[in-house]
Amino acid sequence: MRILATFTALALVLPAPALAYQATITRDDWGIAHIKGQSDADAVFGMIYAQAEDDFNRIELNYLTNLGRLAEAQGESAIWSDLRQRLFIDPAELKRQYAASPAWLKALMQGWAAGLNQYLADHPEVRPKVITRFEPWMALCFSEGSIGGDIENVPLSQLEAFYSGRQVPLALGEQPFAYREPAGSNGFAIGPSHSASGHPLLLINPHTSFFFRSEQQVQSDSGLNAYGAATWGQFFIYQGFNDAAGWMHTSSGVDNVDEFTETIVKRPAGGFAYRYGKQSRAVQEKAITLAFRKADGSIGQRTFATYATHHGPIVRSVGDKWIAFALMNKPVAALQQSFLRTKVRSVAEFRKVGLLKANSSNNTLFASNKGEYAYFHPQFLPVRDDRFDYTKPVDGSDPATDWKGLHPLSALPQVVNPQNGWVMNVNDGPWWSAGKDSPKQGDFPRYADAQGTQPRTEHAIAVLSARPKFTLDSLIQAAYDPWLPAFETLIPRLAQAQARNPDPKRAEAITMLQAWDRKWGLTSVETTLAVNYGEVLWATAEKDPGLKDFPGVPQWMASAASDEQHLAALDAAMARLTADFGSWKVPWGDINHFQRNDGNVVQTFDDAKPSAPVMFASANWGSLAAFGASRYPGTKRYYGTYGNSFVAVVEFGPRVRARAVTAGGESGDPASPHFADQVGRYVSGNLRPVYFYPEDLQGHVKSTHRIASR
């Protein structure tokens, strides 16, 4: 009862929802929406309306994906994505959970749906692909962020293979060692002892696909005042701050999903059973009917007979075993935790909200104006028998492998106000989060972290340890520090290979790389050469049979690649650059670019169209400021699609001070002045002041309008 009372107080329980909602949307000179409503539901109404003004297409796309209705817009090729979603998300069940939700949460969901429906009513020129009317229960399908990420651990190719009965090769993105930009983010929290002002500081640096979130401020007379990044279609600030505290989520290395091998037998009376200890249990069977758009525009349907055990839905097979998939699926609790988190003002309040245990994949860096700074592990962590290796499928017929409830929060890795003066996470384990004050890995089960270190781990520790006192300016400098630590190992190995196998054709290039300070920069020829060499060597690793003995490609490249492989990678990189640019001596700013041609989710890049040079590089090489870029059909330049998106630094004193930048611009409309007005600041790391208080907005207001449901 005490826990429930805490949640009630934090949420400021709302009365029965009114039939009408009202909010004011004020746009500043960067197009950022500052929304104000009387109640939280009014604020949510305005918040989602403003998002729709900026990019309704991305909102609808997110809900088509999460409702399992993407094929209704994109055709039958998306049917497997929809099936994967519907194995876990049942609209009928979401409607039942919505009906049983707390009154205050229902009011928010009703305000959310009213906002989207009012936007469509006010803008008849906007034509939804599928969803012409939003229902309040739909908000539960996209409730926390991590459930989408968790479901995406199910490989679509193998789901298709199982439910179609034919062989389907792994897609490129499903290959475990394929070269791609690391998913995740950077979060730093600086304590008073390491802050020049004596006030805590927070770096918010999510690494996502570009244009993935909207930058907003949302306020109510019920105590809501949150600023930051909201994923398109969600009614809570996912990464941001209020006037007392801030939160930055990074993707965790926690083992938060599990696969169970099921021993299947056919039942004489029909259907299937699976072994569980000495029992034979019936496999649950369920028909799922999915709609899809045909080439002629009409709608077709496909019905799948799907299977599940008590471990979860069956998603693939290995040999004669079926594989069941277990993950967190607590949409009501997840949505509560996501919203309530935006109102917390202290570590104590954050912990109380965490008792909902509906965050399965987010590490959190936290800071408050009480002088607090902390690292928190995901609060949803099932208890398992640590004898088993849950990074691989475990034997579902053995009851000892089952989940056994959830760990109490006190048993999770965490760091609060450590003596070293800072905490951080760069998608690595918590064992490096606070230097010598970090949690000890041996004190926790193996499944508390399946990630280990990242190339960014060493870099983050170095920049945080280098300064006795941080300011907002120096925290930005740390976030954009140009060191690429991966090449500290690779370049000496390459030079040794050349010494043992001298070739004058590559001597100048290797001499240049040896003298290089391992730092990116727009004029750096060495960065271009090193990145191209590294990418070719990575591709070599993917084909090497010895890679299976290493935890990842970086470890293989550093210790197992042969002289011939290192040198061949450099030769290939030099040849490719020469073919594309007439010389291998190409400055990094000539090849690495940001381009935003249109508002499409998947862009078409073009060397002939305007673009901006970007100084930072891929996180694969340890760059803290991440820019995941590659060549595309018809291009010689690299164009980025993933990495730094929304970036902010915040100081928590008597008054909040903050700076921020959003990739490209706030609007998804190419005709808007805010489609690309932040490009220059984004590519240079020149964060702009945040207008958090009304007096900050004075002189910067470009428009104000009041919206109401009718």
Side-chain angles (χ1 to χ4, degrees):
M1 292 301 293
R2 288 195 301 270
I3 294 172
L4 179 59
T6 298
F7 295 157
T8 301
L10 280 168
L12 291 171
V13 172
L14 299 168
L19 296 177
Y21 302 90
Q22 295 183 346
T24 300
I25 301 174
T26 299
R27 298 274 181 178
D28 65 27
D29 45 19
W30 295 99
I32 308 303
H34 303 257
I35 301 102
K36 181 67 182 294
Q38 181 176 0
S39 69
D40 286 353
D42 288 324
V44 162
F45 168 80
M47 177 185 188
I48 201 65
Y49 191 105
Q51 285 186 30
E53 288 180 322
D54 288 332
D55 207 326
F56 176 80
N57 177 53
R58 289 178 188 271
I59 294 174
E60 187 185 17
L61 179 62
N62 280 342
Y63 280 89
L64 291 177
T65 300
N66 284 280
L67 287 167
R69 299 181 62 182
L70 193 60
E72 294 178 48
Q74 297 184 357
E76 197 169 6
S77 63
I79 205 82
W80 302 107
S81 172
D82 287 351
L83 179 61
R84 177 174 67 181
Q85 200 71 18
R86 291 285 297 277
L87 288 175
F88 299 92
I89 299 295
D90 181 349
E93 176 60 23
L94 291 186
K95 292 175 184 178
R96 286 191 288 271
Q97 293 191 35
Y98 165 76
S101 296
W104 69 266
L105 187 64
K106 270 188 181 178
L108 298 185
M109 290 188 272
Q110 290 162 354
W112 169 85
L116 288 169
N117 292 330
Q118 191 59 55
Y119 170 79
L120 291 176
D122 292 344
H123 297 82
E125 74 282 3
V126 175
R127 297 181 178 273
K129 294 180 174 65
V130 175
I131 306 176
T132 57
R133 183 164 186 81
F134 288 82
E135 309 255 352
W137 63 268
M138 292 178 178
L140 290 172
C141 79
F142 193 28
S143 57
E144 195 264 340
S146 74
I147 191 167
D150 293 349
I151 288 176
E152 289 168 3
N153 282 283
V154 175
L156 285 180
S157 64
Q158 301 314 291
L159 181 75
E160 179 182 354
F162 182 83
Y163 283 107
S164 70
R166 59 178 182 268
Q167 292 292 319
V168 180
L170 287 174
L172 179 62
E174 297 170 347
Q175 301 285 349
F177 297 117
Y179 183 85
R180 53 182 173 267
E181 189 62 19
S185 309
N186 300 334
F188 300 166
I190 309 298
S193 66
H194 275 52
S195 168
S197 67
H199 303 139
L201 306 172
L202 182 66
L203 168 69
I204 299 172
N205 184 196
H207 296 167
T208 67
S209 53
F210 295 161
F211 327 122
F212 185 67
R213 296 195 172 106
S214 170
E215 183 177 345
Q216 296 183 296
Q217 182 177 18
V218 55
Q219 306 171 73
S220 77
D221 293 333
S222 300
L224 178 64
N225 187 8
Y227 189 108
T231 305
W232 294 109
Q234 293 184 329
F235 60 72
F236 50 86
I237 297 297
Y238 182 70
Q239 290 155 321
F241 56 94
N242 56 41
D243 64 334
W247 55 96
M248 168 59 208
H249 301 309
T250 63
S251 298
S252 180
V254 66
D255 183 1
N256 59 336
V257 299
D258 285 324
E259 292 186 320
F260 295 84
T261 60
E262 308 289 18
T263 302
I264 303 297
V265 294
K266 286 189 175 181
R267 306 177 76 184
F272 299 94
Y274 66 102
R275 301 293 184 194
Y276 184 68
K278 296 180 180 180
Q279 304 173 19
S280 178
R281 294 186 173 185
V283 172
Q284 304 160 36
E285 298 188 31
K286 179 181 178 181
I288 295 178
T289 299
L290 301 172
F292 65 92
R293 187 168 299 278
K294 296 180 179 179
D296 63 4
S298 64
I299 298 296
Q301 289 188 333
R302 288 183 64 176
T303 298
F304 297 88
T306 67
Y307 306 99
T309 71
H310 74 283
H311 295 121
I314 302 299
V315 299
R316 64 189 181 96
S317 62
V318 176
D320 61 351
K321 304 287 187 181
W322 289 6
I323 305 296
F325 199 87
L327 50 67
M328 184 194 85
N329 196 350
K330 301 168 61 177
V332 173
L335 192 54
Q336 290 182 80
Q337 186 167 348
S338 295
F339 182 80
L340 292 173
R341 201 162 46 208
T342 68
K343 287 191 169 187
V344 301
R345 306 177 67 79
S346 66
V347 162
E349 290 185 3
F350 184 91
R351 282 173 165 157
K352 288 175 182 177
V353 171
L355 291 172
L356 284 161
K357 297 183 180 180
N359 163 26
S360 67
S361 64
N362 292 318
N363 303 320
T364 304
L365 285 305
F366 184 86
S368 82
N369 62 6
K370 294 177 174 58
E372 301 168 319
Y373 56 109
Y375 164 90
F376 293 105
H377 214 52
Q379 294 85 53
F380 179 92
L381 185 62
V383 177
R384 293 111 151 173
D385 188 327
D386 212 25
R387 293 177 299 160
F388 302 101
D389 182 2
Y390 285 89
T391 62
K392 302 173 183 176
V394 294
D395 183 3
S397 69
D398 184 351
T401 64
D402 273 8
W403 288 359
K404 301 170 180 64
L406 299 177
H407 282 279
L409 300 192
S410 59
L412 302 179
Q414 61 178 312
V415 187
V416 178
N417 301 334
Q419 290 186 356
N420 73 306
W422 52 261
V423 290
M424 70 86 181
N425 188 259
V426 291
N427 314 119
D428 47 3
W431 331 122
W432 299 275
S433 59
K436 61 181 177 55
D437 297 319
S438 303
K440 302 298 183 284
Q441 189 168 7
D443 294 341
F444 299 90
R446 287 183 295 168
Y447 54 79
D449 174 53
Q451 185 66 59
T453 61
Q454 291 277 353
R456 285 168 287 148
T457 303
E458 178 186 4
H459 196 172
I461 292 172
V463 298
L464 288 168
S465 302
R467 292 181 183 272
K469 301 287 184 179
F470 278 91
T471 64
L472 285 182
D473 286 334
S474 60
L475 186 56
I476 294 171
Q477 291 171 9
Y480 288 87
D481 185 82
W483 187 36
L484 297 175
F487 293 111
E488 296 289 359
T489 301
L490 292 179
I491 300 303
R493 279 287 292 113
L494 179 63
Q496 292 163 9
Q498 167 72 357
R500 288 188 285 263
N501 305 274
D503 187 332
K505 293 194 298 292
R506 66 175 79 95
E508 182 184 3
I510 289 180
T511 298
M512 183 182 294
L513 288 173
Q514 283 183 287
W516 178 42
D517 60 6
R518 319 311 195 234
K519 294 180 179 180
W520 46 247
L522 292 179
T523 62
S524 172
V525 170
E526 297 90 341
T527 302
T528 302
L529 186 57
V531 168
N532 276 262
Y533 146 73
E535 289 176 353
V536 176
L537 189 59
W538 194 297
T540 303
E542 293 176 42
K543 302 172 185 176
D544 192 286
L547 180 59
K548 68 181 186 303
D549 299 323
F550 290 84
V553 172
Q555 294 84 357
W556 179 92
M557 291 195 300
S559 59
S562 68
D563 286 359
E564 291 75 14
Q565 288 169 321
H566 277 283
L567 296 172
L570 179 64
D571 291 344
M574 294 170 67
R576 184 167 67 183
L577 289 167
T578 301
D580 285 348
F581 297 96
S583 169
W584 58 263
K585 298 178 182 179
V586 184
W588 185 233
D590 287 2
I591 189 174
N592 194 50
H593 278 226
F594 178 97
Q595 188 175 77
R596 194 177 194 190
N597 292 324
D598 53 50
N600 294 334
V601 174
V602 179
Q603 290 196 83
T604 299
F605 296 103
D606 189 339
D607 284 343
K609 292 183 178 180
S611 58
V614 178
M615 57 186 181
F616 38 102
S618 170
N620 280 311
W621 315 118
S623 182
L624 291 174
F627 191 71
S630 62
R631 292 175 176 84
Y632 287 84
T635 77
K636 297 177 180 178
R637 287 186 175 133
Y638 286 27
Y639 295 100
T641 60
Y642 197 101
N644 274 23
S645 48
F646 171 72
V647 186
V649 291
V650 194
E651 180 179 53
F652 296 96
R655 289 172 59 86
V656 168
R657 290 199 309 134
R659 299 178 191 169
V661 71
T662 291
E666 174 63 24
S667 175
D669 180 3
S672 168
H674 305 299
F675 179 72
D677 58 337
Q678 296 187 55
V679 170
R681 287 182 175 270
Y682 172 80
V683 301
S684 62
N686 182 17
L687 279 58
R688 52 182 170 70
V690 166
Y691 311 133
F692 185 77
Y693 297 100
E695 52 269 35
D696 297 336
L697 266 172
Q698 289 181 10
H700 299 287
V701 173
K702 290 301 180 183
S703 68
T704 298
H705 63 290
R706 190 163 184 81
I707 56 170
S709 60
R710 295 182 291 277

